């Protein structure tokens, strides 16, 4: 039996070593994203099942009046803090890495067994910290999560403009028709979503003025985007306007669906468990995907806040064509080859995303009438709605700023 156990342990170690080696030879970015995804799963598991254990820890359970929801939030925040420290320290270490001859380049791509052990150790150590530290981190996480949402909005604006510019640059009729088709489809989707939301979140016989206000604002913004983008004096396009309209409609949906289940204007209040599961899955998937895309796109950009149509932004190389650079192939010590993206910003995105995921799983650390629901409550509603309005404001600003300040260089 002991021989069998030794063989299993040896095989496990060999498997971990081969996986770590494989990560080094391929893209480390995918591995970091996978590690972040594992942290989300760990957070959810501890959120659901760790309460009995936390109640037996005297430095956490300091009162007899603590609710189950409080322990769930503690579990989520402590995992998030460990994750934040892991990526935050890496972001600090990677400051100033500009070429692959820097020793820190190897640290970024290699040493995966050590990194996984340090990551796990950090998360475990967070459960030995006093509650006051976790409380402070919970407050700071709200600001970090808001900053992450802002970065997502800027990345989305950059992506839609880049998409439009790439198709226009082809200067062929079929691509112009494709632009028109996608734009019309996005606007149809935006208005269809808004119509469905009127049915779901404005039930008859109830005064749902707040929901109606949110929905009317979403529809008005969609029209405003098109009018401004197509104005002769504005160098805009219908494709970015339509994509932003769909995104605003989606944010409006997520905001309304986060309303308390006993709120009479929430048409989903009879499907609490289904909404909880779907919100969790969708939230995890969108968070992982948006984090990866944000890190890939913004991490390699030296003009993160510049309009995508600017000459500087246009000189960027494709982000996903740098696998050879990442793996170190052709690396010449005599010639310093530049890194393909900013390692510091890459890890900073993951650190902020750790805060955002904590807010998602804890309902922004606000009280909820049902601890089994994910991201439900008025705080979540207003975070989503405010994100929609900020998205609209930034997009409109990107269109009108050159007109308001003609002497200033925006491109």
């Amino acid at each position: 039996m002991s021989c069998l156990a030794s063989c299993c342990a040896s095989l496990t170690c060999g498997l971990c070593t081969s996986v770590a080696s494989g990560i080094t030879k391929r893209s480390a970015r995918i591995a970091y994203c996978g590690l972040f995804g594992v942290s989300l799963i760990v957070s959810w598991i501890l959120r659901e099942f760790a309460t009995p254990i936390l109640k037996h820890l005297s430095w956490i359970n300091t009162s007899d009046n603590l609710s189950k929801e409080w322990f769930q939030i503690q579990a989520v925040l402590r995992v998030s803090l460990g994750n934040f420290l892991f990526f935050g320290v890496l972001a600090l270490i990677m400051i100033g890495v500009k070429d692959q001859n820097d020793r820190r380049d190897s640290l970024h791509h290699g040493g995966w067994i050590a990194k996984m052990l340090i990551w796990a150790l950090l998360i475990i150590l967070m459960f030995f910290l006093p509650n006051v530290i976790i409380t402070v981190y919970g407050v700071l996480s709200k600001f970090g999560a808001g900053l992450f949402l802002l970065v997502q909005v800027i990345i989305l604006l950059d992506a839609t403009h880049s998409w439009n510019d790439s198709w226009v640059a082809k200067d062929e009729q079929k691509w112009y028709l494709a632009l028109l088709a996608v734009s019309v489809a996005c606007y149809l989707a935006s208005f269809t979503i808004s119509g469905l939301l009127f049915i779901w979140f404005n039930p008859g016989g109830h005064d749902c003025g707040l929901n109606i206000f949110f929905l009317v604002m979403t529809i008005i913004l969609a029209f405003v985007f098109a009018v401004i983008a197509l104005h002769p004096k504005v160098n805009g396009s219908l494709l970015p306007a339509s994509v932003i309209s769909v995104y605003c409609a989606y944010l409006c949906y997520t905001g309304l669906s986060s309303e308390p289940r006993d709120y009479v204007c929430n048409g989903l209040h009879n499907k609490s468990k289904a909404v909880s599961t779907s919100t969790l899955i969708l939230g995890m998937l969108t968070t992982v995907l948006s984090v990866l895309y944000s890190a890939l796109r913004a991490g390699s950009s030296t003009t993160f806040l510049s309009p995508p149509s600017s000459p500087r932004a246009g000189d960027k190389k494709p982000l996903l064509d740098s696998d050879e650079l990442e793996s170190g192939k052709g690396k010449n010590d005599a010639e310093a080859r530049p890194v393909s993206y900013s390692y510091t910003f890459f890890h900073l995105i993951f650190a902020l995303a750790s805060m955002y995921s904590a807010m998602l799983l804890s309902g922004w650390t606000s009280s909820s009438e049902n601890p089994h629901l994910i991201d439900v409550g008025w705080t979540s509603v207003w975070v989503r709605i405010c994100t929609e309005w900020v998205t609209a404001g930034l997009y409109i600003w990107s269109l009108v700023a050159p007109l308001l300040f003609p002497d200033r260089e925006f491109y």
Side-chain angles (χ1 to χ4, degrees):
M1 193 69 179
S2 59
C3 181
L4 179 60
S6 300
C7 291
C8 290
S10 178
L11 289 174
T12 303
C13 293
L15 179 61
C16 292
T17 304
S18 62
V19 169
S21 177
I23 290 174
T24 303
K25 294 178 181 178
R26 296 182 180 86
S27 176
R29 293 178 286 191
I30 304 300
Y32 284 115
C33 187
L35 190 62
F36 179 78
V38 171
S39 73
L40 291 181
I41 296 174
V42 171
S43 295
W44 177 77
I45 292 175
L46 294 180
R47 177 187 187 275
E48 297 298 321
F49 304 107
T51 298
I53 300 176
L54 296 181
K55 287 183 177 180
H56 288 87
L57 301 179
S58 59
W59 58 90
I60 295 179
N61 187 9
T62 56
S63 173
D64 296 333
N65 300 323
L66 298 176
S67 64
K68 177 182 178 182
E69 183 185 11
W70 185 88
F71 287 103
Q72 290 179 326
I73 293 175
Q74 283 289 309
V76 170
L77 288 177
R78 289 170 188 271
V79 174
S80 172
L81 178 56
N83 220 32
F84 172 81
L85 291 176
F86 176 78
F87 287 109
V89 170
L90 283 175
L92 292 175
I93 293 175
M94 297 299 163
I95 292 177
V97 177
K98 296 182 178 179
D99 61 74
Q100 295 187 20
N101 287 348
D102 195 310
R103 292 184 178 180
R104 291 173 293 175
D105 179 81
S106 300
L107 175 62
H108 175 73
H109 293 100
W112 279 99
I113 293 179
K115 286 179 185 175
M116 292 177 183
L117 291 175
I118 292 173
W119 172 79
L121 183 61
L122 280 173
I123 290 180
I124 293 173
L125 289 176
M126 295 306 103
F127 286 88
F128 291 91
L129 295 179
N131 292 338
V132 62
I133 296 179
I134 306 302
T135 301
V136 173
Y137 175 73
V139 174
L140 295 177
S141 292
K142 294 181 179 181
F143 295 96
L147 183 57
F148 174 74
L149 290 174
L150 179 61
V151 170
Q152 276 191 306
V153 170
I154 296 175
I155 293 299
L156 175 65
L157 293 174
D158 176 69
T160 54
H161 283 295
S162 298
W163 180 11
N164 180 79
D165 292 346
S166 65
W167 282 15
V168 170
K170 298 179 186 296
D171 198 20
E172 296 181 16
Q173 184 178 6
K174 63 178 182 179
W175 292 107
Y176 289 122
L177 292 175
L179 279 172
L180 179 61
V182 173
S183 300
V184 171
C186 287
Y187 263 112
L188 289 176
S190 176
F191 293 133
T192 300
I193 293 172
S194 298
L196 292 174
L197 295 182
F198 265 106
I199 297 174
W200 293 341
F201 297 98
N202 183 33
H206 300 287
D207 182 14
C208 302
L210 184 61
N211 286 2
I212 294 175
F213 171 71
F214 291 155
L215 293 169
V216 170
M217 279 294 297
T218 301
I219 295 175
I220 291 176
L221 288 173
F223 279 109
V224 170
F225 295 157
V227 170
I228 297 179
L230 296 178
H231 194 277
K233 293 185 178 180
V234 176
N235 185 24
S237 176
L238 195 60
L239 177 63
S242 64
V243 173
I244 298 300
S245 297
V246 172
Y247 183 64
C248 286
Y250 166 74
L251 289 175
C252 186
Y253 161 72
T254 58
L256 294 176
S257 64
S258 295
E259 291 177 338
R261 295 299 175 257
D262 57 358
Y263 183 48
V264 294
C265 294
N266 187 345
L268 300 176
H269 67 279
N270 292 324
K271 305 175 182 178
S272 297
K273 292 184 179 179
V275 172
S276 174
T277 303
S278 63
T279 303
L280 174 63
I281 296 175
L282 182 61
M284 284 188 173
L285 288 178
T286 54
T287 300
V288 171
L289 292 177
S290 62
V291 167
L292 180 59
Y293 180 78
S294 299
L296 290 175
R297 188 166 187 87
S300 64
S301 175
T302 58
T303 56
F304 176 53
L305 297 178
S306 297
S309 56
S310 68
R312 291 174 299 168
D315 292 338
K316 294 185 293 185
K317 296 182 180 180
L319 300 178
L320 300 180
D321 293 337
S322 55
D323 290 338
E324 183 174 334
L325 280 175
E326 281 197 42
S327 61
K329 294 179 181 178
K331 193 172 182 179
N332 189 350
D333 293 335
E335 180 182 355
R337 304 192 63 175
V339 297
S340 56
Y341 58 97
S342 170
Y343 297 163
T344 294
F345 190 80
F346 177 85
H347 291 295
L348 181 61
I349 287 291
F350 280 100
L352 294 176
S354 299
M355 292 181 162
Y356 173 72
S357 64
M359 296 298 99
L360 179 70
L361 289 170
S362 65
W364 296 81
T365 65
S366 61
S367 299
S368 173
E369 77 284 353
N370 190 339
H372 297 292
L373 295 173
I374 301 296
D375 198 24
V376 172
W378 286 111
T379 304
S380 298
V381 173
W382 283 106
V383 166
R384 298 295 189 277
I385 297 300
C386 289
T387 301
E388 175 191 351
W389 294 344
V390 169
T391 301
L394 287 175
Y395 175 64
I396 294 174
W397 174 255
S398 70
L399 295 176
V400 303
L403 298 178
L404 298 177
F405 304 96
D407 298 332
R408 190 170 178 179
E409 182 180 354
F410 288 92
Y411 299 96

